[in-house]
Amino acid sequence: MKRKDPMEPGGLVVVDKPAGFTSHDVVAKMRGIARTRRVGHAGTLDPMATGVLVLGVERATKLLGHLALTEKEYVGTVRLGQSTLTDDAEGEITASRDASAVTPEGVRAQVSALTGALMQVPSKVSAVKIDGKRSYKRARDGEEFEIPARPVTVSSFEVHDVRPDRAEDGTQVMDVLVSVVCSSGTYIRALARDMGAGLGVGGHLTALRRTRVGPYRLEGARTLEQLQTERDGEERITLLPLGEAAAAAFPRWDVDARAAQLLVNGARLTMPGGPAGTQGPVAVFGPGDRFLALVESHRGRAKSLAVFATQAG
């Protein structure tokens, strides 16, 4: 008889991603730690960035696409006076300009202009697809192209410190410590680029740490080394169970046994609130606090996004 994988039915784990790792690198490492191929991530972090990366193991991978759409929070450092090819410290410097005349008041004015509902142009060296091809591939191939602006929301953009410095090439620069709360799809390095452009000196991101993805915070994250040590000592890693993960991230709807059976068999039940009910995914729980499915309201009825229970227990 085949031994049941100890990771089933799976759950979430919040990783503190190290610098220099791609999100795929972290997933590959976790596959070895969890001893399963079924691992994915919610929302990509650039190699330079550190901090919260939410991983799903086994059946929890079905949650990830919905978690990726939630609000995110960052702290970072913007260097004013230098522009780079990638809008961050990983790209070559394309222009330098003396930033000694930049004032804290000017910086805060630019931050204010970049707060709220925006139309943002992502970096050309990004994963955005242009006519079916990743923009970073077009950039590496030397193509000339434009990326259309996309709607994003920066709900909070704060300046915590502005300090002068001198770059390696002798340019007088300004380093600005910021924190950002934003919608999914917002590029923090594009905010750095646009801040520098607005001040007339150019800018790029030199450090970035993600401190929150939806309800999942850095305080609850573990490093890859900690996860490996836990696996070595306990023969398994501790995961956030599916039901707890869903209840933390989405509005909750509790149903009785009959409704639970109908729902997992594909019935479109009437949702609380009618046609104007909750927007976005809703986590459905049956008797015994059993997590059944993620649904969304479609004309007041529950449309399944992902079902996690094959039958109501």
Side-chain angles (χ1 to χ4, degrees), residues 242-272:
L242 279 169
E244 289 184 30
F250 307 107
R252 178 179 176 127
W253 177 25
D254 288 278
V255 300
D256 61 22
R258 181 175 178 278
Q261 188 67 58
L262 290 170
L263 189 142
V264 299
N265 283 304
R268 290 198 170 190
L269 305 181
T270 300
M271 292 188 68

Side-chain angles (χ1 to χ4, degrees), residues 19-96:
F21 276 57
T22 66
S23 299
H24 181 73
D25 290 338
V26 177
V27 167
K29 183 73 173 176
M30 182 55 62
R31 284 171 176 162
I33 294 172
R35 299 176 186 171
T36 176
R37 296 290 302 169
R38 293 184 66 189
V39 179
H41 66 84
T44 299
L45 269 179
D46 289 336
M48 184 191 80
T50 66
V52 174
L53 186 66
V54 180
L55 303 185
V57 178
E58 296 294 349
R59 283 197 291 157
T61 55
K62 294 197 290 183
L63 284 176
L64 297 176
H66 307 290
L67 289 172
L69 302 177
T70 58
E71 188 177 70
K72 299 172 176 64
E73 189 169 340
Y74 301 84
V75 294
T77 303
V78 177
R79 171 154 288 189
L80 299 172
Q82 291 180 325
S83 300
T84 71
L85 182 64
T86 57
D87 301 327
D88 64 17
E90 301 215 311
E92 64 180 276
I93 297 172
T94 56
S96 297

Side-chain angles (χ1 to χ4, degrees), residues 119-140:
M119 293 299 293
Q120 185 184 71
V121 178
S123 169
K124 284 193 173 182
V125 184
S126 67
V128 173
K129 283 188 176 181
I130 306 295
D131 296 328
K133 185 177 180 180
R134 299 290 185 186
S135 60
Y136 66 80
K137 291 184 178 180
R138 291 185 179 276
R140 288 172 183 169

Side-chain angles (χ1 to χ4, degrees), residues 150-210:
R150 308 186 306 174
V152 300
T153 300
V154 177
S155 53
S156 174
F157 195 176
E158 296 184 10
V159 176
H160 300 282
D161 191 22
V162 180
R163 54 183 181 271
D165 201 351
R166 192 169 293 277
E168 290 183 2
D169 63 1
T171 300
Q172 184 69 47
V173 297
M174 288 284 180
D175 287 333
V176 184
L177 179 64
V178 300
S179 61
V180 180
V181 180
C182 58
S183 63
S184 175
T186 304
Y187 281 83
I188 310 302
R189 52 193 165 117
L191 290 177
R193 175 202 66 203
D194 293 344
M195 183 197 301
L199 289 164
V201 296
H204 70 280
L205 194 67
T206 60
L208 185 67
R209 187 157 176 77
R210 188 156 69 190

